[in-house]
Amino acid sequence: MLDAKSQATCPAHAPANHPKVPSEKVGVLLANLGTPDDYTYWPMRRYLNEFLSDQRVIDYPKWKWQPLLQAIILTKRPFSSGAAYKSIWNHDQGESPLMTITKDQTAKITTAMADRYGDRVMVDFCMRYGNPSTKSKVQEMVAAGCTRILFFPLYPQYAGATSATANDQFFRALMEETWQPSARTVPAYFDQPAYIDALAGSVETAYAALDSKPDILVVSYHGMPERYLQQGDPYHCQCQKTTRLLKERLGWTDTDIISTFQSKFGPEEWLKPYTVDHVAELAKQGKKNIAVIAPAFSADCIETLEEINEEIRESFEHAGGERFTYIPCLNDQDAHISALSSIIQDNLKGWLD
């Protein structure tokens, strides 16, 4: 972290009592979904309350949703969600895998930006829900002299419940600044060649380590209510295009790969096919050897390490499946860091050349 006070100086020709001003920098603020501070009841409840109270995520009227959330869901769900987090928790560092991986990604991108721009760029990360908050990191960047901030939601495919709500929180943070920095947001990057290459490389590496090629690659995306698609959210289309581009990059046919959607919540119809049901159907159809990848996540988290690698695996095996290979998210792989760094550099054009 840059020390704003040690680098602050009075502007030229300013009176002696003028407050010191830090040297100008450009901030790059990476943003991910978030994580509870701990898997015990109260930290889980605080995290779930913030997450499930976001109307970008659950858009039911507050008068209808909040009583149900506060009186029923948040009474029970912290226990089950806490148990799921406990099963994947990084106990050595006292944090979730998402936090660990995001820190590693940030450190590597910081190095890449320093190599390219020297000390003119400050890189940090925030979480939409939980800590470190978007507001706190915007405040730190402004205090460190960032007169421009590039905000980068780490979601390859745009969705109102992910990219948009992250941007919303960034804009709210800017509203509280006396001297607002100039701001840009990074758009979805699902069709960027470097991202697709990194995905394909992870599949090729995983397949090369197996003694037999899986019958099919299941490309599992986080789901959303089908209603959101009808309202104009482009997420479903961008997911389908990601799968198509990945298939073309690998040189595969339609029978080698399929898109599915996971993490259904509530009574509504969500995007289909549902991953947990479809892997069972594949096993019943005789596809006993499958691989699963989750391109909508930039880092492994509860939805991949617990839901895919435990719940969805169990569904497949219970239906007669024999071999289940989970291909990890791109995390801090060099190809991924290179792709993200390239996207950042493209979006800094005009600010830094």
Side-chain angles (χ1 to χ4, degrees):
M1 182 60 61
L2 294 171
D3 185 345
K5 292 183 180 179
S6 66
Q7 300 183 26
T9 58
C10 287
H13 311 297
N17 62 349
H18 192 288
K20 290 184 177 181
V21 178
S23 58
E24 289 191 11
K25 303 170 190 68
V26 173
V28 175
L29 186 55
L30 311 173
N32 217 319
L33 180 74
T35 172
D37 295 326
D38 193 72
Y39 51 79
T40 52
Y41 180 83
W42 287 110
M44 281 301 315
R45 181 174 177 125
R46 284 193 298 272
Y47 173 73
L48 290 171
N49 183 47
E50 185 180 9
F51 175 46
L52 296 176
S53 293
D54 184 352
Q55 288 202 287
R56 286 279 198 179
V57 176
I58 307 291
D59 67 349
Y60 300 147
K62 289 183 179 180
W63 65 266
K64 180 186 294 186
W65 174 242
Q66 281 297 320
L68 177 64
L69 176 65
Q70 301 299 329
I72 300 176
I73 295 173
L74 290 180
T75 301
K76 301 178 180 179
R77 194 173 180 89
F79 291 109
S80 58
S81 294
Y85 268 97
K86 185 178 181 179
S87 72
I88 65 163
W89 201 253
N90 182 345
H91 294 280
D92 291 339
Q93 296 190 34
E95 60 192 22
S96 72
L98 175 65
M99 179 66 76
T100 303
I101 294 165
T102 304
K103 287 179 178 178
D104 292 341
Q105 291 172 328
T106 303
K108 290 188 175 183
I109 291 173
T110 297
T111 298
M113 294 300 103
D115 290 343
R116 177 69 175 81
Y117 301 111
D119 63 358
R120 293 181 293 165
V121 172
M122 174 182 178
V123 180
D124 210 335
F125 75 94
C126 65
M127 298 295 183
R128 170 60 183 89
Y129 314 105
N131 297 305
S133 70
T134 305
K135 177 180 176 180
S136 69
K137 290 302 178 179
V138 168
Q139 289 175 338
E140 288 182 16
M141 285 192 160
V142 170
C146 294
T147 57
R148 300 181 175 115
I149 297 178
L150 177 67
F151 186 72
F152 192 173
L154 293 176
Y155 307 108
Q157 299 81 19
Y158 174 95
T162 54
S163 309
T165 190
N167 288 337
D168 289 346
Q169 199 73 349
F170 175 55
F171 300 142
R172 291 187 193 104
L174 292 178
M175 289 172 64
E176 298 190 25
E177 291 302 319
T178 301
W179 187 355
Q180 285 184 328
S182 298
R184 291 177 179 173
T185 60
V186 177
Y189 55 96
F190 65 97
D191 56 355
Q192 290 291 309
Y195 164 69
I196 298 298
D197 283 345
L199 276 182
S202 72
V203 173
E204 291 167 341
T205 298
Y207 274 41
L210 301 174
D211 53 24
S212 61
K213 181 181 177 181
D215 300 321
I216 194 167
L217 176 65
V218 177
V219 186
S220 183
Y221 298 91
H222 196 288
M224 67 164 54
E226 188 175 295
R227 172 171 53 86
Y228 290 10
L229 169 62
Q230 303 305 322
Q231 291 172 349
D233 195 299
Y235 178 72
H236 178 265
C237 299
Q238 293 184 2
C239 290
Q240 296 292 359
K241 187 171 181 179
T242 301
T243 299
R244 176 175 64 79
L245 292 173
L246 177 60
K247 178 194 70 174
E248 292 172 355
R249 165 61 178 75
L250 291 167
W252 289 1
T253 66
D254 289 343
T255 58
D256 295 318
I257 190 169
I258 187 171
S259 296
T260 62
F261 298 89
Q262 64 184 84
S263 308
K264 182 181 183 297
F265 178 82
E268 287 190 77
E269 288 295 313
W270 279 41
L271 299 176
K272 293 180 178 178
Y274 300 142
T275 306
V276 68
D277 296 333
H278 196 71
V279 296
E281 187 61 32
L282 289 173
K284 293 173 183 177
Q285 293 172 0
K287 297 187 185 303
K288 306 293 187 179
N289 179 3
I290 69 170
V292 180
I293 192 171
F297 301 97
S298 61
D300 275 307
C301 54
I302 192 73
E303 286 87 354
T304 62
L305 299 175
E306 194 276 335
E307 185 177 358
I308 291 179
N309 211 23
E310 294 182 23
E311 295 178 26
I312 291 170
R313 176 193 292 271
E314 182 179 335
S315 175
F316 175 68
E317 293 176 347
H318 184 74
E322 298 172 357
R323 189 157 185 179
F324 183 101
T325 300
Y326 170 62
I327 300 174
C329 293
L330 295 177
N331 297 327
D332 66 338
Q333 294 175 28
D334 289 345
H336 190 211
I337 298 303
S338 177
L340 296 178
S341 297
S342 176
I343 292 166
I344 290 169
Q345 290 174 23
D346 285 344
N347 282 271
L348 288 177
K349 288 178 180 177
W351 281 359
L352 294 170
D353 296 316

